[in-house]
Amino acid sequence: MITVSEIRDEGARLAICCPNCARLRYLNMDRLDPAASLEEVAAGLKCSRCLEPDVEIRVMRRDKQTGFWPAESAR
């Protein structure tokens, strides 16, 4: 299982995505346990907009052409 520290080491970020309201927000990885797996991180989260408890954790990487991070979004 991949951990928070492994994601940080490869220069990626974590985002929470809500399947109910489609909100995508980046997580502050400094607040997460570096040894935690993605499943462990997801288990303690819920959507701050609609309070959906079954959220997805996504590993986000910069766009190789532009260098920009994908934008946070909502419907």
Side-chain angles (χ1 to χ4, degrees):
M1 285 190 197
I2 191 166
T3 64
V4 172
S5 65
E6 292 170 339
I7 293 166
R8 181 181 291 127
D9 291 345
E10 71 177 52
R13 295 171 71 183
L14 288 176
I16 183 174
C17 182
C18 178
N20 188 48
C21 70
R23 185 172 191 172
L24 174 74
R25 295 294 306 249
Y26 285 102
L27 296 173
N28 182 346
M29 291 176 49
D30 293 334
R31 294 181 178 181
L32 302 175
D33 177 6
S37 69
L38 297 185
E39 292 80 13
E40 292 169 335
V41 172
L45 297 175
K46 63 183 174 182
C47 180
S48 61
R49 174 179 288 155
C50 70
L51 304 178
E52 173 68 38
D54 297 323
V55 295
E56 301 172 10
I57 298 294
R58 295 184 181 174
V59 178
M60 307 294 278
R61 292 175 179 83
R62 290 182 186 267
D63 182 275
K64 292 180 181 182
Q65 293 180 342
T66 65
F68 290 113
W69 291 98
E72 294 182 351
S73 64
R75 272 194 245 179

